[in-house]
Amino acid sequence: MNWRTLLPLALVITGCSAPNEIVPFREGVLRAPSYTLAADYCSAKSLTPKWIGRAPAESGVLFQCY
């Protein structure tokens, strides 16, 4: 195996998420790496994003879909 096959496996084992992944942050709030990905996520569900603010440690944005 080379590093390209080991890297995704290492991320899964350590619990890291992919940089373009939408993840739950707290009840009803989601975290996305960018405003664009958050808007696309909500649009795919025919909803509108409500911006909560920046995620801790500048790790993305917090939002809700309504």
Side-chain angles (χ1 to χ4, degrees):
M1 286 202 280
N2 61 20
W3 68 271
R4 290 182 187 166
T5 56
L6 290 176
L7 182 59
L9 179 61
L11 290 174
V12 169
I13 291 171
T14 59
C16 296
S17 61
N20 61 349
E21 188 175 311
I22 307 298
V23 294
F25 186 73
R26 59 181 178 257
E27 189 174 326
V29 177
L30 302 167
R31 183 188 60 82
S34 70
Y35 288 104
T36 304
L37 287 172
D40 291 346
Y41 178 82
C42 291
S43 292
K45 297 178 179 262
S46 299
L47 299 170
T48 304
K50 175 183 175 188
W51 308 113
I52 307 296
R54 297 290 298 170
E58 299 294 317
S59 62
V61 296
L62 299 176
F63 69 101
Q64 292 177 315
C65 294
Y66 68 97

